[in-house]
Amino acid sequence: MTTLTAPPVPVPTAPTAMEAAVPPEVHPPGLPATGAALPALLTAEHRIHLLYQMLRIRRFEERCVELYAASKIRGFLHVYIGEEAVGVGAMQAIRPEDAIVATYREHGQALVRGIPARALMAEMFGRVEGCSRGRGGSMHLFDASRRFYGGNAIVGGGIPLGVGLAMAAKKQGQPTIAATFFGDGAAAEGIFHESMNLAALWRLPVLFLCENNGYAMGTSLARAHAQTDMVVKAMAHRIPGEAVDGMDVEACEEASLRAAEYVRSGIGPYFLEFRTYRFRAHSAYDPELYRSKAEVERWRERDPIETFEARMRADRMLDDEIRNRLEAEVMAEIDDAVAYAEAGTLELVADLTRFVTSERAT
Ligand SMILES: Cc1ncc(C[n+]2csc(CCOP(=O)(O)OP(=O)(O)O)c2C)c(N)n1
Ligand SMILES: [Mg+2]
């Protein structure tokens, strides 16, 4: 009989003060190719749509950062800048009747879902006209009519909501799926594994969308996870999955369409890990001592908007005229949203306890 001996467990060494201050490049760009975009998606019209959506997100958030500095927007603010290809690509696979759950870094998904920029900006300003009546702010964008169930401030908190929504659809015999976005940090939470286990066990129609940007606040993936490959974690729960180049909107769309089709077929959940990067700080307050400037620069070279634009120009699907028109349309939409938010109403203090218990908002 052979005796099995466990391999020696590597002893983690504490980072030196210098390592803690400027760590090595822990999240290098260099990603798996996921295959070319589906030919049906390669039309100029469709590509312009993808570029336009990414630009909307980028410019909306750039304006939010400015408004935050001017104290017009208060509370927390986590921007998606650098990760737009993930939100835009993945959302192409999600139909209006499907349910979506996102994280506190969700402005992009909310915009692509069709929540008007006015309602989103008013929410950022804490106005009653906001999509959550001004009570949620940046982290709690919500629109039940569009089946957009947040905006969740609790890391990993949206994952079981997605599983629950999928369970409801299955029990009611509805042919819809639930898509749940979450970060790499959420994969270190117990609820991630509990949710994946039940989704797999009960073959629920959940599309797990992991936005792996390499960091959970100031903690790199490698510092917090023994297993840094997210797909392996999914497979431990017998959920098929794949890693996707999260800086390439077409790769994100293509993989999401395939994954959503799998989930819609009723076989069970599917897992996508988007390898991406946030170009800005974690939130408004973050001196970014946990990563080197060189690492950020290397990822910036893969800017999802610039690289996609270059590809479109090379394919003669984009010229200055179209690009300028897109920019003007986006800016007009944002200016209008800001004016709407500025003119919005602050809730009366006397009304603040409304809806806390049973009264329904209209
Ligand atoms: C349960 C819980 N623990 C801790 C926090 C504090 N926190 C806010 S964001 C964050 C990092 C999450 O990282 P990740 O899931 O990778 O998402 P990212 O911010 O990178 O998009 C942490 C730890 C929280 N909000 N919820
Ligand atoms: Mg992260």
Side-chain angles (χ1 to χ4, degrees):
M1 206 174 91
T2 338
T3 320
L4 292 175
T5 45
V9 178
V11 182
T13 50
T16 62
M18 233 179 80
E19 272 175 349
V22 185
E25 292 198 10
V26 287
H27 193 49
L31 301 151
T34 43
L38 301 174
L41 303 174
L42 286 172
T43 64
E45 194 187 1
H46 183 69
R47 285 175 143 189
I48 287 171
H49 167 76
L50 296 177
L51 178 64
Y52 177 64
Q53 294 297 345
M54 289 198 291
L55 271 176
R56 282 179 81 218
I57 301 172
R58 179 73 58 96
R59 298 289 179 257
F60 181 91
E61 291 198 321
E62 284 169 348
R63 187 70 65 88
C64 286
V65 171
E66 282 172 33
L67 292 163
Y68 194 88
S71 299
K72 297 272 187 180
I73 295 176
R74 311 294 291 271
F76 286 96
L77 183 74
H78 307 83
V79 294
Y80 202 48
I81 293 175
E83 306 186 31
E84 295 92 342
V86 177
V88 172
M91 291 292 288
Q92 305 306 312
I94 300 164
R95 299 180 183 161
E97 61 273 21
D98 296 333
I100 298 165
V101 190
T103 72
Y104 45 82
R105 204 180 292 287
E106 87 288 28
H107 311 144
Q109 285 92 346
L111 276 167
V112 180
R113 186 56 167 183
I115 306 179
R118 281 183 167 197
L120 294 176
M121 195 57 90
E123 188 58 39
M124 313 291 277
F125 274 62
R127 307 293 159 125
V128 173
E129 293 79 3
C131 61
S132 306
R133 259 189 90 85
R135 292 181 171 196
S138 161
M139 298 205 287
H140 303 101
L141 304 175
F142 196 95
D143 187 342
S145 71
R146 291 182 172 83
R147 305 210 73 205
F148 189 86
Y149 300 106
N152 286 272
I154 304 300
V155 173
I159 307 176
L161 299 185
V163 173
L165 286 160
M167 187 159 82
K170 185 164 180 166
K171 286 196 160 190
Q172 291 168 4
Q174 286 165 2
T176 60
I177 68 170
T180 181
F181 290 88
F182 52 90
D184 47 285
E189 297 278 351
I191 195 69
F192 167 85
H193 295 282
E194 295 168 51
S195 303
M196 297 236 294
N197 177 54
L198 287 185
L201 187 67
W202 295 336
R203 296 179 176 270
L204 300 177
V206 192
L207 181 54
F208 291 102
L209 301 167
C210 179
E211 301 171 313
N212 178 5
N213 58 15
Y215 295 91
M217 295 179 89
T219 306
S220 72
L221 195 64
R223 277 206 205 288
H225 295 248
Q227 173 56 267
T228 54
D229 188 329
M230 298 289 149
V231 176
V232 172
K233 288 185 199 279
M235 285 181 175
H237 296 282
R238 304 185 74 178
I239 298 177
E242 63 196 271
V244 185
D245 181 350
M247 306 306 270
D248 179 343
V249 67
E250 289 181 298
C252 294
E253 176 178 27
E254 189 268 335
S256 303
L257 284 169
R258 270 190 294 104
E261 195 179 307
Y262 176 95
V263 175
R264 274 182 221 291
S265 73
I267 307 173
Y270 200 91
F271 187 100
L272 290 178
E273 174 197 350
F274 298 99
R275 302 221 179 131
T276 184
Y277 202 77
R278 66 171 156 71
F279 293 165
R280 302 285 182 104
H282 166 77
S283 65
Y285 307 104
D286 174 5
E288 294 185 68
L289 297 176
Y290 50 83
R291 60 184 188 181
S292 66
K293 287 200 168 60
E295 180 185 297
V296 180
E297 281 317 307
R298 284 219 290 145
W299 276 90
R300 276 185 185 276
E301 283 166 20
R302 306 198 60 236
D303 185 310
I305 296 179
E306 286 173 18
T307 53
F308 188 50
E309 256 194 71
R311 190 185 306 163
M312 287 175 69
R313 283 182 190 268
D315 290 349
R316 301 194 183 285
M317 288 183 175
L318 183 73
D319 57 21
D320 288 346
E321 195 193 324
I322 302 174
R323 180 65 177 77
N324 292 341
R325 181 170 52 76
L326 296 181
E327 191 75 32
E329 278 177 30
V330 167
M331 286 317 222
E333 183 186 20
I334 294 168
D335 288 344
D336 170 75
V338 174
Y340 179 81
E342 293 266 16
T345 326
L346 282 175
E347 191 159 39
L348 293 175
V349 172
D351 285 346
L352 284 179
T353 54
R354 286 183 68 195
F355 317 118
V356 171
T357 51
S358 62
E359 193 183 354
R360 289 179 70 88
T362 48

